[in-house]
Amino acid sequence: MAIKSLDDLRKIKEKANAESSARHESGTQVIVGMGTCGIAAGARTVMTAIMDEIAKRGLKDVSVMQTGCIGMCQKEPLVDIVRPGEERITYGNVKPADVPRIISEHLVNGRIVSDLVVAKL
């Protein structure tokens, strides 16, 4: 859509805000530990792999967020999956190669990847 007026720009902004707020209220959240300990352990490459996998699969109702250190530095990189109505699952020592399996099994199909789980909240 070509933006020809201020009204066109407002409509685009309203649509983007509506889609964004819907994702945060009802969708699944992926939270990546990006404290210094997480970054040192490779969280940036894990975050990139997560974003790439979500885009590749065309998943729309997913928000990817960052958090700081939560005190499990020895288990970094940490990735939390929060699906609506389900308990929060924390995966630890996540490698970029683990991401497609976590996204496919847990995010898409609702099956927890047990061998990578470090906490359930």
Side-chain angles (χ1 to χ4, degrees), residues 32-50 73-79 93-99:
V32 181
M34 294 289 281
T36 54
C37 51
I39 292 169
R44 283 192 176 128
T45 57
V46 170
M47 174 82 123
T48 300
I50 290 168
C73 302
Q74 72 280 12
K75 301 286 187 184
E76 292 285 359
L78 293 167
V79 175
N93 298 310
V94 177
K95 311 271 185 289
D98 298 324
V99 169

Side-chain angles (χ1 to χ4, degrees), residues 4-75:
K4 297 180 181 175
S5 69
L6 188 56
D7 191 46
D8 289 344
L9 185 60
R10 284 188 187 117
K11 287 178 185 173
I12 291 169
K13 181 182 176 186
E14 287 171 10
K15 182 180 177 191
N17 285 341
E19 289 174 358
S20 178
S21 67
R23 263 182 267 161
H24 291 289
E25 291 171 11
S26 63
T28 299
Q29 297 176 339
V30 179
I31 305 164
V32 181
M34 294 289 281
T36 54
C37 51
I39 292 169
R44 283 192 176 128
T45 57
V46 170
M47 174 82 123
T48 300
I50 290 168
M51 300 294 285
D52 290 347
E53 190 68 20
I54 288 171
K56 180 176 115 181
R57 292 175 173 274
L59 302 177
K60 301 291 183 206
D61 203 23
V62 178
S63 58
V64 179
M65 297 176 280
Q66 301 176 20
T67 190
C69 180
I70 61 168
M72 292 196 302
C73 302
Q74 72 280 12
K75 301 286 187 184

Side-chain angles (χ1 to χ4, degrees), residues 76-88:
E76 292 285 359
L78 293 167
V79 175
D80 288 356
I81 305 289
V82 184
R83 290 172 38 109
E86 297 179 9
E87 63 187 339
R88 180 180 188 142

